[in-house]
Amino acid sequence: MQVEYDDGGFSGWVVSSAGPYAPVWCQVLIDGEHRASIRADEFVPFVGERHDGHCCLNFSYRVPAYLRDGRAHRVQLTFTYVQDSATVQCSLPLTVRTFGAVASHPQSGYPVCRAQDVAAVPADIGEAESWASPNPTIVFPEGPIRRVWRPCRDVDGAVLSGFPHAEIVTHPLALSFLSDVYVRRSTGAVYVPGHGVWQDSHYLSDSRRIREDLERLERGGQDAPIIEGPALLASTAMNRNYFHWVMDILAGVHACTRHLGPPPPLLTPPLRSWQADSLRLLVGDAAFATPVDGAEPASDLVRCRRLIVPSNLGGVGLFPDETVTDLFATLRGRVGHDPHARRRIFISRRDSDCPRITNEAVLAAALERFGFETVVLGERSFAEQIRLFKEAEVVIGAHGAGLVNGGFCTPGTWMVEIRSSNYLNPCFYHLSGVCGLSYASHVETVPCREDGAENAASFEVDTERLLGLLRRLPLKFVL
């Protein structure tokens, strides 16, 4: 038999001795779940002539859209047919394949190394940690993809419009064990010699920098400092963004710790104080292999003999619920709080380069009548932010990274997200779902920007309409 894979699925042919009118069934398992039963039933005589005259039958399969996500998946094909009342079965070896574009923000202009390009093989944790395979190994410790249909509803129970999708797709974590690769620590880009940038390491990266790195490596990058490893990658191109730091880097480190035990030394970007504090709170006195802030590019690029790369978890707004909820629960349990507090929090963005709400001061004054306190999260430590959200009964804020702290809230806490109609990212709706929060959305109509930077739009909030939403929440407001 022969199978050929592409971005959309696979096709091939199988040789059968049962004749052209006895179809062969192919059972398709992806990530451990049965996805389809397909028939190889198109007779191809000229191929069969090369196989002792046996019948050759074609088959093809297009994977579902939610699997064409640019992530690594385990694929197992089993072929079955009946001949002379006996069932004949043959299974192909388990393989790792990638379908579709990488992430939802595809990059161009440089080669991307995907699992099948380097014959990556699935393995259990013990096999991967032995580093015995000549090929990269990928561990999927948390089971299959899960799809949850969760209609978006407002506080009155009506289905909300304006969400790109109401289906939460939770991807399993993948841990890639790579040998002899180059790493740009400040951006998390991983370069596999001769193949390009590793598929799980260039989300929202700087295309120019990646091209420059690849060109340099083609000319010979042997002068890069060597880290023997094993080391755990704890960096992405968006590491300065609080949301991506928590949902990609902290979640990846935590997931690795859950399955491997104490993590190996961490390859991190230059750390700000709150980032270092968050890692210490999560993993204690883990070792760091961290460049000095402002390091020259030449010292930032290193060669790593053995590197573990967690797949991005929250970066595209699709959350593997078990990993994320356990991360928040772990951090929440390490910070004390007043269990009797019932704080009402309004998140100010006055310290942000993208303030969003143009009448924020007016809105903050109106919310004070409802018992809300205005907080600037950038002025608080990581532990103080956890404590603040642990003590909240309702949180209001414009769409922005600070709302990721909602994961530290007690289940049942209300999250009210203020959003613009030209950027309806559902990530915090999904976050509220996997963390058990109650969610409400206030949307302001905002025209599209000519420069396409919809996430940078600023707008005025209709204060009375927002207060009307608050009055409908099942909370007691004393005016």
PDB file of all heavy atoms in Angstrom, residues 131 183 185 227-235 253 256-257 260-269 271 279 283-290 302 304 306-310:
ATOM      1  N   TRP A 131      15.994  10.370  24.629  1.00  0.00           N
ATOM      2  CA  TRP A 131      16.655  10.990  23.483  1.00  0.00           C
ATOM      3  C   TRP A 131      17.352   9.946  22.619  1.00  0.00           C
ATOM      4  O   TRP A 131      18.422  10.185  22.046  1.00  0.00           O
ATOM      5  CB  TRP A 131      17.665  12.059  23.928  1.00  0.00           C
ATOM      6  CG  TRP A 131      17.054  13.164  24.706  1.00  0.00           C
ATOM      7  CD1 TRP A 131      16.890  13.222  26.061  1.00  0.00           C
ATOM      8  CD2 TRP A 131      16.491  14.375  24.186  1.00  0.00           C
ATOM      9  NE1 TRP A 131      16.257  14.389  26.411  1.00  0.00           N
ATOM     10  CE2 TRP A 131      16.010  15.127  25.279  1.00  0.00           C
ATOM     11  CE3 TRP A 131      16.362  14.901  22.895  1.00  0.00           C
ATOM     12  CZ2 TRP A 131      15.395  16.358  25.148  1.00  0.00           C
ATOM     13  CZ3 TRP A 131      15.752  16.147  22.760  1.00  0.00           C
ATOM     14  CH2 TRP A 131      15.275  16.863  23.861  1.00  0.00           C
ATOM     15  N   VAL A 183      18.259  28.403  18.464  1.00  0.00           N
ATOM     16  CA  VAL A 183      17.134  29.060  19.121  1.00  0.00           C
ATOM     17  C   VAL A 183      17.426  30.553  19.264  1.00  0.00           C
ATOM     18  O   VAL A 183      18.500  30.941  19.752  1.00  0.00           O
ATOM     19  CB  VAL A 183      16.869  28.474  20.524  1.00  0.00           C
ATOM     20  CG1 VAL A 183      15.603  29.099  21.127  1.00  0.00           C
ATOM     21  CG2 VAL A 183      16.733  26.963  20.461  1.00  0.00           C
ATOM     22  N   ARG A 185      16.490  33.171  21.539  1.00  0.00           N
ATOM     23  CA  ARG A 185      15.840  33.138  22.844  1.00  0.00           C
ATOM     24  C   ARG A 185      14.868  34.297  23.052  1.00  0.00           C
ATOM     25  O   ARG A 185      13.863  34.152  23.739  1.00  0.00           O
ATOM     26  CB  ARG A 185      16.898  33.138  23.953  1.00  0.00           C
ATOM     27  CG  ARG A 185      17.698  31.843  23.976  1.00  0.00           C
ATOM     28  CD  ARG A 185      18.622  31.766  25.158  1.00  0.00           C
ATOM     29  NE  ARG A 185      19.737  32.715  25.052  1.00  0.00           N
ATOM     30  CZ  ARG A 185      20.775  32.736  25.888  1.00  0.00           C
ATOM     31  NH1 ARG A 185      20.828  31.879  26.889  1.00  0.00           N
ATOM     32  NH2 ARG A 185      21.751  33.607  25.730  1.00  0.00           N
ATOM     33  N   ILE A 227      24.378  25.223  24.180  1.00  0.00           N
ATOM     34  CA  ILE A 227      23.725  24.758  25.395  1.00  0.00           C
ATOM     35  C   ILE A 227      23.486  23.266  25.217  1.00  0.00           C
ATOM     36  O   ILE A 227      22.785  22.853  24.291  1.00  0.00           O
ATOM     37  CB  ILE A 227      22.400  25.496  25.646  1.00  0.00           C
ATOM     38  CG1 ILE A 227      22.661  26.989  25.875  1.00  0.00           C
ATOM     39  CG2 ILE A 227      21.651  24.896  26.825  1.00  0.00           C
ATOM     40  CD1 ILE A 227      21.404  27.814  26.026  1.00  0.00           C
ATOM     41  N   GLU A 228      24.084  22.465  26.069  1.00  0.00           N
ATOM     42  CA  GLU A 228      23.966  21.015  25.909  1.00  0.00           C
ATOM     43  C   GLU A 228      22.535  20.540  26.167  1.00  0.00           C
ATOM     44  O   GLU A 228      22.041  19.645  25.492  1.00  0.00           O
ATOM     45  CB  GLU A 228      24.937  20.302  26.848  1.00  0.00           C
ATOM     46  CG  GLU A 228      26.407  20.491  26.481  1.00  0.00           C
ATOM     47  CD  GLU A 228      26.757  19.871  25.132  1.00  0.00           C
ATOM     48  OE1 GLU A 228      26.041  18.943  24.690  1.00  0.00           O
ATOM     49  OE2 GLU A 228      27.745  20.319  24.512  1.00  0.00           O
ATOM     50  N   GLY A 229      21.865  21.123  27.150  1.00  0.00           N
ATOM     51  CA  GLY A 229      20.505  20.713  27.445  1.00  0.00           C
ATOM     52  C   GLY A 229      20.458  19.403  28.213  1.00  0.00           C
ATOM     53  O   GLY A 229      21.492  18.909  28.682  1.00  0.00           O
ATOM     54  N   PRO A 230      19.263  18.832  28.371  1.00  0.00           N
ATOM     55  CA  PRO A 230      18.025  19.344  27.794  1.00  0.00           C
ATOM     56  C   PRO A 230      17.595  20.664  28.420  1.00  0.00           C
ATOM     57  O   PRO A 230      17.851  20.925  29.587  1.00  0.00           O
ATOM     58  CB  PRO A 230      17.011  18.229  28.087  1.00  0.00           C
ATOM     59  CG  PRO A 230      17.556  17.533  29.281  1.00  0.00           C
ATOM     60  CD  PRO A 230      19.041  17.605  29.166  1.00  0.00           C
ATOM     61  N   ALA A 231      16.931  21.483  27.598  1.00  0.00           N
ATOM     62  CA  ALA A 231      16.388  22.764  28.032  1.00  0.00           C
ATOM     63  C   ALA A 231      14.938  22.844  27.573  1.00  0.00           C
ATOM     64  O   ALA A 231      14.544  22.189  26.595  1.00  0.00           O
ATOM     65  CB  ALA A 231      17.201  23.919  27.461  1.00  0.00           C
ATOM     66  N   LEU A 232      14.166  23.654  28.266  1.00  0.00           N
ATOM     67  CA  LEU A 232      12.750  23.838  27.938  1.00  0.00           C
ATOM     68  C   LEU A 232      12.555  25.239  27.386  1.00  0.00           C
ATOM     69  O   LEU A 232      12.893  26.237  28.048  1.00  0.00           O
ATOM     70  CB  LEU A 232      11.877  23.638  29.171  1.00  0.00           C
ATOM     71  CG  LEU A 232      10.371  23.938  29.018  1.00  0.00           C
ATOM     72  CD1 LEU A 232       9.735  22.990  28.010  1.00  0.00           C
ATOM     73  CD2 LEU A 232       9.663  23.846  30.369  1.00  0.00           C
ATOM     74  N   LEU A 233      12.017  25.345  26.173  1.00  0.00           N
ATOM     75  CA  LEU A 233      11.772  26.657  25.572  1.00  0.00           C
ATOM     76  C   LEU A 233      10.633  27.360  26.301  1.00  0.00           C
ATOM     77  O   LEU A 233       9.537  26.813  26.432  1.00  0.00           O
ATOM     78  CB  LEU A 233      11.437  26.502  24.094  1.00  0.00           C
ATOM     79  CG  LEU A 233      11.213  27.819  23.333  1.00  0.00           C
ATOM     80  CD1 LEU A 233      12.501  28.635  23.267  1.00  0.00           C
ATOM     81  CD2 LEU A 233      10.685  27.552  21.926  1.00  0.00           C
ATOM     82  N   ALA A 234      10.906  28.575  26.768  1.00  0.00           N
ATOM     83  CA  ALA A 234       9.894  29.375  27.461  1.00  0.00           C
ATOM     84  C   ALA A 234       9.913  30.779  26.884  1.00  0.00           C
ATOM     85  O   ALA A 234      10.144  31.765  27.588  1.00  0.00           O
ATOM     86  CB  ALA A 234      10.148  29.385  28.965  1.00  0.00           C
ATOM     87  N   SER A 235       9.680  30.868  25.586  1.00  0.00           N
ATOM     88  CA  SER A 235       9.707  32.163  24.905  1.00  0.00           C
ATOM     89  C   SER A 235       8.873  32.091  23.645  1.00  0.00           C
ATOM     90  O   SER A 235       8.771  31.034  23.012  1.00  0.00           O
ATOM     91  CB  SER A 235      11.150  32.552  24.557  1.00  0.00           C
ATOM     92  OG  SER A 235      11.196  33.809  23.899  1.00  0.00           O
ATOM     93  N   VAL A 253       5.091  25.852  30.272  1.00  0.00           N
ATOM     94  CA  VAL A 253       5.995  25.412  31.337  1.00  0.00           C
ATOM     95  C   VAL A 253       5.241  24.554  32.350  1.00  0.00           C
ATOM     96  O   VAL A 253       5.732  23.510  32.794  1.00  0.00           O
ATOM     97  CB  VAL A 253       6.639  26.635  32.023  1.00  0.00           C
ATOM     98  CG1 VAL A 253       7.398  26.206  33.282  1.00  0.00           C
ATOM     99  CG2 VAL A 253       7.578  27.358  31.059  1.00  0.00           C
ATOM    100  N   CYS A 256       4.467  21.112  30.936  1.00  0.00           N
ATOM    101  CA  CYS A 256       5.672  20.286  30.919  1.00  0.00           C
ATOM    102  C   CYS A 256       5.994  19.784  32.327  1.00  0.00           C
ATOM    103  O   CYS A 256       6.355  18.615  32.520  1.00  0.00           O
ATOM    104  CB  CYS A 256       6.837  21.103  30.361  1.00  0.00           C
ATOM    105  SG  CYS A 256       8.318  20.146  30.016  1.00  0.00           S
ATOM    106  N   THR A 257       5.829  20.643  33.322  1.00  0.00           N
ATOM    107  CA  THR A 257       6.097  20.251  34.702  1.00  0.00           C
ATOM    108  C   THR A 257       5.145  19.159  35.172  1.00  0.00           C
ATOM    109  O   THR A 257       5.542  18.229  35.885  1.00  0.00           O
ATOM    110  CB  THR A 257       5.981  21.483  35.622  1.00  0.00           C
ATOM    111  OG1 THR A 257       6.893  22.499  35.177  1.00  0.00           O
ATOM    112  CG2 THR A 257       6.290  21.132  37.060  1.00  0.00           C
ATOM    113  N   LEU A 260       6.524  15.980  33.143  1.00  0.00           N
ATOM    114  CA  LEU A 260       7.934  15.588  33.204  1.00  0.00           C
ATOM    115  C   LEU A 260       8.522  15.746  34.596  1.00  0.00           C
ATOM    116  O   LEU A 260       9.664  15.324  34.821  1.00  0.00           O
ATOM    117  CB  LEU A 260       8.759  16.434  32.222  1.00  0.00           C
ATOM    118  CG  LEU A 260       8.364  16.396  30.745  1.00  0.00           C
ATOM    119  CD1 LEU A 260       9.324  17.242  29.921  1.00  0.00           C
ATOM    120  CD2 LEU A 260       8.336  14.967  30.226  1.00  0.00           C
ATOM    121  N   GLY A 261       7.792  16.373  35.514  1.00  0.00           N
ATOM    122  CA  GLY A 261       8.365  16.669  36.809  1.00  0.00           C
ATOM    123  C   GLY A 261       9.085  18.008  36.768  1.00  0.00           C
ATOM    124  O   GLY A 261       8.823  18.844  35.898  1.00  0.00           O
ATOM    125  N   PRO A 262      10.005  18.247  37.713  1.00  0.00           N
ATOM    126  CA  PRO A 262      10.734  19.524  37.719  1.00  0.00           C
ATOM    127  C   PRO A 262      11.313  19.819  36.340  1.00  0.00           C
ATOM    128  O   PRO A 262      11.957  18.960  35.735  1.00  0.00           O
ATOM    129  CB  PRO A 262      11.823  19.304  38.775  1.00  0.00           C
ATOM    130  CG  PRO A 262      11.253  18.256  39.673  1.00  0.00           C
ATOM    131  CD  PRO A 262      10.438  17.349  38.787  1.00  0.00           C
ATOM    132  N   PRO A 263      11.095  21.024  35.822  1.00  0.00           N
ATOM    133  CA  PRO A 263      11.511  21.298  34.447  1.00  0.00           C
ATOM    134  C   PRO A 263      13.020  21.428  34.327  1.00  0.00           C
ATOM    135  O   PRO A 263      13.720  21.780  35.281  1.00  0.00           O
ATOM    136  CB  PRO A 263      10.824  22.634  34.139  1.00  0.00           C
ATOM    137  CG  PRO A 263      10.710  23.304  35.472  1.00  0.00           C
ATOM    138  CD  PRO A 263      10.447  22.191  36.452  1.00  0.00           C
ATOM    139  N   PRO A 264      13.562  21.150  33.140  1.00  0.00           N
ATOM    140  CA  PRO A 264      14.978  21.431  32.889  1.00  0.00           C
ATOM    141  C   PRO A 264      15.191  22.936  32.845  1.00  0.00           C
ATOM    142  O   PRO A 264      14.229  23.714  32.910  1.00  0.00           O
ATOM    143  CB  PRO A 264      15.212  20.769  31.525  1.00  0.00           C
ATOM    144  CG  PRO A 264      13.875  20.792  30.864  1.00  0.00           C
ATOM    145  CD  PRO A 264      12.874  20.611  31.959  1.00  0.00           C
ATOM    146  N   PRO A 265      16.431  23.398  32.730  1.00  0.00           N
ATOM    147  CA  PRO A 265      16.680  24.843  32.630  1.00  0.00           C
ATOM    148  C   PRO A 265      15.826  25.477  31.540  1.00  0.00           C
ATOM    149  O   PRO A 265      15.630  24.901  30.461  1.00  0.00           O
ATOM    150  CB  PRO A 265      18.180  24.918  32.304  1.00  0.00           C
ATOM    151  CG  PRO A 265      18.746  23.689  32.936  1.00  0.00           C
ATOM    152  CD  PRO A 265      17.696  22.625  32.753  1.00  0.00           C
ATOM    153  N   LEU A 266      15.332  26.671  31.833  1.00  0.00           N
ATOM    154  CA  LEU A 266      14.409  27.350  30.931  1.00  0.00           C
ATOM    155  C   LEU A 266      15.166  28.285  30.001  1.00  0.00           C
ATOM    156  O   LEU A 266      15.989  29.100  30.447  1.00  0.00           O
ATOM    157  CB  LEU A 266      13.378  28.146  31.727  1.00  0.00           C
ATOM    158  CG  LEU A 266      12.558  27.385  32.765  1.00  0.00           C
ATOM    159  CD1 LEU A 266      11.607  28.335  33.495  1.00  0.00           C
ATOM    160  CD2 LEU A 266      11.777  26.253  32.115  1.00  0.00           C
ATOM    161  N   LEU A 267      14.865  28.186  28.712  1.00  0.00           N
ATOM    162  CA  LEU A 267      15.349  29.161  27.738  1.00  0.00           C
ATOM    163  C   LEU A 267      14.292  30.246  27.633  1.00  0.00           C
ATOM    164  O   LEU A 267      13.223  30.027  27.048  1.00  0.00           O
ATOM    165  CB  LEU A 267      15.572  28.502  26.379  1.00  0.00           C
ATOM    166  CG  LEU A 267      16.900  27.800  26.151  1.00  0.00           C
ATOM    167  CD1 LEU A 267      16.896  27.128  24.793  1.00  0.00           C
ATOM    168  CD2 LEU A 267      18.053  28.781  26.253  1.00  0.00           C
ATOM    169  N   THR A 268      14.569  31.404  28.200  1.00  0.00           N
ATOM    170  CA  THR A 268      13.588  32.473  28.275  1.00  0.00           C
ATOM    171  C   THR A 268      14.069  33.694  27.509  1.00  0.00           C
ATOM    172  O   THR A 268      15.258  33.824  27.182  1.00  0.00           O
ATOM    173  CB  THR A 268      13.334  32.878  29.737  1.00  0.00           C
ATOM    174  OG1 THR A 268      14.490  33.585  30.222  1.00  0.00           O
ATOM    175  CG2 THR A 268      13.052  31.673  30.607  1.00  0.00           C
ATOM    176  N   PRO A 269      13.164  34.636  27.248  1.00  0.00           N
ATOM    177  CA  PRO A 269      13.593  35.936  26.736  1.00  0.00           C
ATOM    178  C   PRO A 269      14.187  36.747  27.883  1.00  0.00           C
ATOM    179  O   PRO A 269      14.156  36.310  29.038  1.00  0.00           O
ATOM    180  CB  PRO A 269      12.274  36.557  26.255  1.00  0.00           C
ATOM    181  CG  PRO A 269      11.255  35.977  27.174  1.00  0.00           C
ATOM    182  CD  PRO A 269      11.704  34.567  27.432  1.00  0.00           C
ATOM    183  N   LEU A 271      14.022  38.859  30.869  1.00  0.00           N
ATOM    184  CA  LEU A 271      12.851  38.854  31.746  1.00  0.00           C
ATOM    185  C   LEU A 271      12.646  40.195  32.429  1.00  0.00           C
ATOM    186  O   LEU A 271      13.583  40.782  32.985  1.00  0.00           O
ATOM    187  CB  LEU A 271      13.000  37.765  32.808  1.00  0.00           C
ATOM    188  CG  LEU A 271      13.016  36.322  32.316  1.00  0.00           C
ATOM    189  CD1 LEU A 271      13.271  35.375  33.480  1.00  0.00           C
ATOM    190  CD2 LEU A 271      11.705  35.975  31.623  1.00  0.00           C
ATOM    191  N   LEU A 279       7.371  33.155  36.988  1.00  0.00           N
ATOM    192  CA  LEU A 279       8.036  31.861  36.842  1.00  0.00           C
ATOM    193  C   LEU A 279       8.447  31.297  38.197  1.00  0.00           C
ATOM    194  O   LEU A 279       8.326  30.092  38.442  1.00  0.00           O
ATOM    195  CB  LEU A 279       9.250  32.002  35.921  1.00  0.00           C
ATOM    196  CG  LEU A 279       8.938  32.121  34.423  1.00  0.00           C
ATOM    197  CD1 LEU A 279      10.191  32.496  33.644  1.00  0.00           C
ATOM    198  CD2 LEU A 279       8.343  30.826  33.879  1.00  0.00           C
ATOM    199  N   VAL A 283       7.240  27.639  39.259  1.00  0.00           N
ATOM    200  CA  VAL A 283       8.170  26.496  39.306  1.00  0.00           C
ATOM    201  C   VAL A 283       9.263  26.641  40.351  1.00  0.00           C
ATOM    202  O   VAL A 283      10.193  25.824  40.385  1.00  0.00           O
ATOM    203  CB  VAL A 283       8.803  26.254  37.914  1.00  0.00           C
ATOM    204  CG1 VAL A 283       7.765  25.837  36.917  1.00  0.00           C
ATOM    205  CG2 VAL A 283       9.556  27.495  37.424  1.00  0.00           C
ATOM    206  N   GLY A 284       9.177  27.657  41.206  1.00  0.00           N
ATOM    207  CA  GLY A 284      10.173  27.795  42.263  1.00  0.00           C
ATOM    208  C   GLY A 284      11.527  28.201  41.723  1.00  0.00           C
ATOM    209  O   GLY A 284      11.638  29.057  40.841  1.00  0.00           O
ATOM    210  N   ASP A 285      12.566  27.559  42.225  1.00  0.00           N
ATOM    211  CA  ASP A 285      13.936  27.936  41.872  1.00  0.00           C
ATOM    212  C   ASP A 285      14.443  27.166  40.658  1.00  0.00           C
ATOM    213  O   ASP A 285      15.500  26.517  40.701  1.00  0.00           O
ATOM    214  CB  ASP A 285      14.868  27.695  43.070  1.00  0.00           C
ATOM    215  CG  ASP A 285      14.525  28.590  44.244  1.00  0.00           C
ATOM    216  OD1 ASP A 285      14.101  29.731  44.004  1.00  0.00           O
ATOM    217  OD2 ASP A 285      14.673  28.140  45.392  1.00  0.00           O
ATOM    218  N   ALA A 286      13.683  27.210  39.580  1.00  0.00           N
ATOM    219  CA  ALA A 286      14.137  26.561  38.357  1.00  0.00           C
ATOM    220  C   ALA A 286      15.356  27.293  37.807  1.00  0.00           C
ATOM    221  O   ALA A 286      15.534  28.492  38.016  1.00  0.00           O
ATOM    222  CB  ALA A 286      13.012  26.563  37.324  1.00  0.00           C
ATOM    223  N   ALA A 287      16.187  26.557  37.099  1.00  0.00           N
ATOM    224  CA  ALA A 287      17.370  27.168  36.490  1.00  0.00           C
ATOM    225  C   ALA A 287      16.958  27.956  35.251  1.00  0.00           C
ATOM    226  O   ALA A 287      16.013  27.589  34.544  1.00  0.00           O
ATOM    227  CB  ALA A 287      18.383  26.085  36.123  1.00  0.00           C
ATOM    228  N   PHE A 288      17.657  29.048  34.990  1.00  0.00           N
ATOM    229  CA  PHE A 288      17.373  29.888  33.835  1.00  0.00           C
ATOM    230  C   PHE A 288      18.619  30.016  32.981  1.00  0.00           C
ATOM    231  O   PHE A 288      19.733  30.145  33.491  1.00  0.00           O
ATOM    232  CB  PHE A 288      16.914  31.282  34.267  1.00  0.00           C
ATOM    233  CG  PHE A 288      15.614  31.293  35.016  1.00  0.00           C
ATOM    234  CD1 PHE A 288      15.585  31.215  36.396  1.00  0.00           C
ATOM    235  CD2 PHE A 288      14.415  31.373  34.338  1.00  0.00           C
ATOM    236  CE1 PHE A 288      14.389  31.218  37.090  1.00  0.00           C
ATOM    237  CE2 PHE A 288      13.212  31.371  35.012  1.00  0.00           C
ATOM    238  CZ  PHE A 288      13.199  31.297  36.396  1.00  0.00           C
ATOM    239  N   ALA A 289      18.424  29.974  31.665  1.00  0.00           N
ATOM    240  CA  ALA A 289      19.492  30.282  30.721  1.00  0.00           C
ATOM    241  C   ALA A 289      19.010  31.493  29.936  1.00  0.00           C
ATOM    242  O   ALA A 289      18.492  31.371  28.832  1.00  0.00           O
ATOM    243  CB  ALA A 289      19.755  29.103  29.788  1.00  0.00           C
ATOM    244  N   THR A 290      19.162  32.659  30.549  1.00  0.00           N
ATOM    245  CA  THR A 290      18.482  33.861  30.085  1.00  0.00           C
ATOM    246  C   THR A 290      19.479  34.903  29.610  1.00  0.00           C
ATOM    247  O   THR A 290      20.434  35.204  30.323  1.00  0.00           O
ATOM    248  CB  THR A 290      17.640  34.473  31.216  1.00  0.00           C
ATOM    249  OG1 THR A 290      16.792  33.472  31.754  1.00  0.00           O
ATOM    250  CG2 THR A 290      16.806  35.626  30.719  1.00  0.00           C
ATOM    251  N   VAL A 302      21.407  30.888  20.064  1.00  0.00           N
ATOM    252  CA  VAL A 302      22.213  29.828  20.660  1.00  0.00           C
ATOM    253  C   VAL A 302      21.940  28.524  19.934  1.00  0.00           C
ATOM    254  O   VAL A 302      20.927  28.370  19.243  1.00  0.00           O
ATOM    255  CB  VAL A 302      21.894  29.664  22.165  1.00  0.00           C
ATOM    256  CG1 VAL A 302      22.215  30.937  22.923  1.00  0.00           C
ATOM    257  CG2 VAL A 302      20.445  29.250  22.377  1.00  0.00           C
ATOM    258  N   CYS A 304      21.296  24.592  20.645  1.00  0.00           N
ATOM    259  CA  CYS A 304      20.859  23.732  21.741  1.00  0.00           C
ATOM    260  C   CYS A 304      20.911  22.270  21.293  1.00  0.00           C
ATOM    261  O   CYS A 304      20.288  21.900  20.297  1.00  0.00           O
ATOM    262  CB  CYS A 304      19.448  24.098  22.188  1.00  0.00           C
ATOM    263  SG  CYS A 304      18.965  23.343  23.743  1.00  0.00           S
ATOM    264  N   ARG A 306      19.815  19.609  22.954  1.00  0.00           N
ATOM    265  CA  ARG A 306      18.557  18.923  23.252  1.00  0.00           C
ATOM    266  C   ARG A 306      17.558  19.955  23.773  1.00  0.00           C
ATOM    267  O   ARG A 306      17.796  20.603  24.792  1.00  0.00           O
ATOM    268  CB  ARG A 306      18.767  17.806  24.280  1.00  0.00           C
ATOM    269  CG  ARG A 306      19.631  16.666  23.759  1.00  0.00           C
ATOM    270  CD  ARG A 306      19.731  15.535  24.768  1.00  0.00           C
ATOM    271  NE  ARG A 306      20.465  15.948  25.963  1.00  0.00           N
ATOM    272  CZ  ARG A 306      20.645  15.177  27.032  1.00  0.00           C
ATOM    273  NH1 ARG A 306      20.093  13.969  27.071  1.00  0.00           N
ATOM    274  NH2 ARG A 306      21.335  15.608  28.072  1.00  0.00           N
ATOM    275  N   LEU A 307      16.440  20.099  23.069  1.00  0.00           N
ATOM    276  CA  LEU A 307      15.465  21.148  23.384  1.00  0.00           C
ATOM    277  C   LEU A 307      14.057  20.568  23.396  1.00  0.00           C
ATOM    278  O   LEU A 307      13.681  19.812  22.501  1.00  0.00           O
ATOM    279  CB  LEU A 307      15.551  22.275  22.347  1.00  0.00           C
ATOM    280  CG  LEU A 307      14.578  23.446  22.559  1.00  0.00           C
ATOM    281  CD1 LEU A 307      14.967  24.245  23.801  1.00  0.00           C
ATOM    282  CD2 LEU A 307      14.557  24.345  21.325  1.00  0.00           C
ATOM    283  N   ILE A 308      13.285  20.949  24.412  1.00  0.00           N
ATOM    284  CA  ILE A 308      11.869  20.580  24.488  1.00  0.00           C
ATOM    285  C   ILE A 308      11.044  21.818  24.149  1.00  0.00           C
ATOM    286  O   ILE A 308      11.234  22.878  24.754  1.00  0.00           O
ATOM    287  CB  ILE A 308      11.497  20.073  25.893  1.00  0.00           C
ATOM    288  CG1 ILE A 308      12.405  18.894  26.283  1.00  0.00           C
ATOM    289  CG2 ILE A 308      10.033  19.656  25.943  1.00  0.00           C
ATOM    290  CD1 ILE A 308      12.224  18.446  27.730  1.00  0.00           C
ATOM    291  N   VAL A 309      10.145  21.678  23.173  1.00  0.00           N
ATOM    292  CA  VAL A 309       9.332  22.801  22.712  1.00  0.00           C
ATOM    293  C   VAL A 309       7.855  22.491  22.964  1.00  0.00           C
ATOM    294  O   VAL A 309       7.291  21.620  22.298  1.00  0.00           O
ATOM    295  CB  VAL A 309       9.554  23.079  21.210  1.00  0.00           C
ATOM    296  CG1 VAL A 309       8.714  24.277  20.760  1.00  0.00           C
ATOM    297  CG2 VAL A 309      11.023  23.308  20.917  1.00  0.00           C
ATOM    298  N   PRO A 310       7.201  23.181  23.915  1.00  0.00           N
ATOM    299  CA  PRO A 310       5.754  23.001  24.071  1.00  0.00           C
ATOM    300  C   PRO A 310       5.021  23.694  22.919  1.00  0.00           C
ATOM    301  O   PRO A 310       5.438  24.754  22.447  1.00  0.00           O
ATOM    302  CB  PRO A 310       5.443  23.682  25.408  1.00  0.00           C
ATOM    303  CG  PRO A 310       6.772  24.007  26.024  1.00  0.00           C
ATOM    304  CD  PRO A 310       7.748  24.102  24.906  1.00  0.00           C
TER     305      PRO A 310
END
